């Protein structure tokens, strides 16, 4: 199966599961609508697809349990986007071409929608897996030493020129903000799919490079695409005093680093017959 | 052992664990400080004590694992306070006599401190218990159909006169806001402590009444205590258009209901030798 076939097969399954279960499982219809507004705003479903593809690469059959875990990851990702967009944070009015949650529903509503999506995501992961290890992986990945810690470094360093040339700082911040959750998506699949120690290591190594590459890709989208293409404000990182790999290295060297990461990520998949995971790397072609 | 002895024994253990582990386990020193600022602001540690006392009532010895779970509950409780105080929510400047997190550190910092405490609380619970059931209980209790759902109903209904006389609505809102997490603290202890089916049912029934009573108590504190005694702004619920049992029933009937709940809560503890849990109900004397 190619990456494209896999994506075409599973994206609607993920979308349907998210839409129907947010309706079924959130008792308050209005809160459910606010949560679903952001979840159903047309994301690529990258993390849930990555979870499912990794599980599949271990020659396991995907059942509804795995779809529940995958969708739990997407709920958590969506919570992080809602909170990142808040006025006190990145203050974004648009996301994926639509008004951000706080612009559409109000600020308290957006904070609470995020606060509801986060534990529900963990709930779906533990219900789908019944596995404490997955809860340990996801909570570590999104907490103070993971995603939220990265967002904190970002907020804390914005307009701070002393870190603008600090490659270690920027690496760490970008890794925590984006890489951690991507790695966790793959790592949870290796545990849930009972990967051998060697397969598990190779898949996690792939995820590390894929996750690092994703952040560079995301920064490049900011300069390559127009606002209309990206569905959100672009060309704003530099203007808003953000520090990232792009502002550190410039576009040319960022692209070189991205190509290096893709190469290494591919090498870590050499032992897998499955061609779906390799296909995830094609995503990055549009900024190269 | 009396409730007071229990409290005097375990409160410093909880406080020390929280302070030392927030320092040890959060890599970013400044983020750790912001998280600890609210966690260490002098709470009563009611929920962790309740978890430990329930576990103890099942004739189990409390070890560091149980302290970790108990403290995980407190991290989650603290996250909810930080977010509730935000300008877009209840807009409170003081909590427990100190500036609220957003007043002290900034709004983005307060949002992120809460966002970091929530998954860390779940992480400590799963690490202390290694038990998927506890994760299911806690995530359900604090999510869209629990604590966050209650806060949403509160925000959504403030200044909405149509619910001011709706006892069902107010019951539900108050239960979700406060009761759910209190019940979960007891329920997790019954699972972790391997309570018999009958003991488990009695303890959860006690927790339901205790939790419902707690919210009425909290509303009464708002009118009984001065701002200095309560450590936060009082006499503000009515002024700010909040609907609660007190605004619905008035002080006299609220006290009657509180006394009824205490009586029933006690009856559910009749089969337990332990006198610590009964002692939790004495907390309510000061508003009766």
């Amino acid at each position: 199966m190619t990456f494209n076939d896999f994506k075409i097969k599973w994206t609607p399954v993920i979308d349907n599961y998210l839409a129907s279960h947010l309706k079924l499982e959130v008792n308050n219809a209005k809160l459910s609508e606010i949560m679903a507004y952001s979840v159903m705003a047309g994301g690529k479903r990258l993390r849930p697809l990555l979870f499912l593809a990794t599980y599949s690469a271990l020659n396991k059959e995907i059942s509804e349990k795995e779809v529940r875990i995958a969708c739990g990851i997407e709920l958590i990702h969506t919570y992080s986007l809602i909170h990142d967009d808040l006025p006190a944070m990145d203050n974004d009015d648009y996301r994926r071409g639509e008004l951000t949650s706080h612009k559409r529903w109000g600020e308290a509503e957006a904070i609470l929608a995020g606060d509801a999506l986060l534990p529900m995501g963990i709930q779906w992961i533990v219900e789908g897996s019944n596995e404490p290890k997955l809860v340990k992986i996801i909570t570590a990945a999104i907490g103070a030493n993971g995603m939220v810690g990265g967002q904190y470094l970002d907020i804390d360093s914005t307009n701070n020129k002393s870190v603008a040339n600090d490659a270690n700082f920027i690496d760490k911040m970008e890794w925590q903000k984006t890489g951690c959750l991507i790695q966790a998506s793959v790592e949870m699949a290796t545990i849930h799919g009972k990967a051998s120690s060697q397969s598990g290591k190779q898949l996690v190594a792939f995820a590390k490079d894929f996750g690092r590459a994703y952040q560079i890709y995301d920064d490049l989208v900011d300069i390559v695409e127009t606002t209309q293409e990206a569905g959100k404000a672009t060309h704003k990182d530099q203007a808003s005093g953000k520090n990232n790999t792009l502002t550190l290295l410039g576009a040319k060297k960022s692209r070189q680093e991205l190509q290096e990461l893709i190469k290494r990520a591919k090498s870590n998949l050499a032992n897998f017959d499955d061609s779906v995971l390799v296909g995830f790397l094609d995503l990055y072609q549009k900024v190269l």
Side-chain angles (χ1 to χ4, degrees), chain A:
Chain A
M1 191 181 265
T2 67
F3 167 71
N4 219 40
D5 292 340
F6 188 86
K7 191 177 77 172
I8 289 168
K9 179 174 179 186
W10 290 105
T11 306
V13 175
I14 293 167
D15 286 342
N16 290 337
Y17 191 94
L18 287 166
S20 61
H21 284 262
L22 281 170
K23 208 161 195 169
L24 270 171
E25 298 183 31
V26 178
N27 298 337
N28 185 302
K30 204 170 150 197
L31 179 56
S32 170
E33 189 185 356
I34 298 170
M35 292 161 77
Y37 173 82
S38 298
V39 175
M40 304 312 295
K44 295 183 293 293
R45 311 306 185 200
L46 183 76
R47 291 154 194 82
L49 286 170
L50 199 54
F51 173 85
L52 294 177
T54 306
Y55 188 74
S56 205
L58 295 163
N59 300 312
K60 304 277 173 177
E61 197 76 40
I62 295 169
S63 76
E64 197 183 320
K65 285 183 184 178
E66 286 71 46
V67 174
R68 190 163 179 83
I69 300 170
C71 289
I73 301 171
E74 188 69 4
L75 296 183
I76 293 170
H77 172 58
T78 307
Y79 127 74
S80 77
L81 300 181
I82 296 174
H83 281 198
D84 284 1
D85 287 337
L86 287 168
M89 309 273 267
D90 292 350
N91 195 22
D92 275 311
D93 292 351
Y94 289 92
R95 159 83 63 184
R96 294 169 183 164
E98 305 284 338
L99 286 173
T100 46
S101 181
H102 64 275
K103 291 300 278 185
R104 173 69 181 81
W105 305 100
E107 208 175 322
E109 286 79 359
I111 294 169
L112 291 172
D115 287 349
L117 287 166
L118 167 44
M120 183 170 252
I122 297 175
Q123 189 182 350
W124 288 13
I125 290 168
V126 76
E127 286 171 353
S129 69
N130 213 37
E131 178 54 80
K133 242 187 187 164
L134 266 68
V135 179
K136 293 174 193 173
I137 292 170
I138 191 70
T139 51
I142 65 174
N145 302 326
M147 190 173 72
V148 171
Q151 184 65 12
Y152 175 77
L153 287 177
D154 192 3
I155 293 287
D156 193 45
S157 69
T158 297
N159 289 316
N160 177 353
K161 292 217 172 74
S162 75
V163 299
N165 293 310
D166 185 341
N168 282 340
F169 175 89
I170 289 172
D171 264 13
K172 186 178 159 185
M173 174 182 79
E174 300 208 325
W175 172 255
Q176 288 191 213
K177 273 183 71 170
T178 314
C180 279
L181 183 55
I182 287 176
Q183 182 184 322
S185 304
V186 169
E187 202 175 350
M188 288 194 290
T190 66
I191 304 291
H192 185 64
K194 302 190 198 314
S196 70
S197 157
Q198 202 206 349
S199 292
K201 271 182 201 157
Q202 286 167 341
L203 288 165
V204 170
F206 155 76
K208 270 191 209 301
D209 288 333
F210 181 80
R212 176 81 186 110
Y214 189 79
Q215 185 66 43
I216 299 176
Y217 157 79
D218 207 38
D219 294 340
L220 283 165
V221 165
D222 187 67
I223 56 160
V224 169
E225 294 193 337
T226 65
T227 298
Q228 200 180 359
E229 285 166 339
K232 61 181 178 184
T234 53
H235 303 82
K236 67 173 277 194
D237 284 355
Q238 195 129 25
S240 63
K242 292 274 182 197
N243 301 304
N244 58 39
T245 304
L246 187 59
T247 58
L248 176 72
L249 298 181
K252 194 177 160 200
K253 281 198 176 163
S254 291
R255 287 198 171 92
Q256 281 171 358
E257 180 155 345
L258 181 53
Q259 271 163 329
E260 270 306 304
L261 287 164
I262 293 172
K263 208 171 122 188
R264 212 167 61 192
K266 276 188 184 158
S267 75
N268 272 308
L269 295 177
N271 292 339
F272 295 88
D273 297 335
D274 188 278
S275 64
V276 176
L277 279 177
V278 172
F280 276 81
L281 296 160
D282 293 340
L283 169 70
Y284 301 144
Q285 289 307 320
K286 77 170 168 190
V287 299
L288 286 176

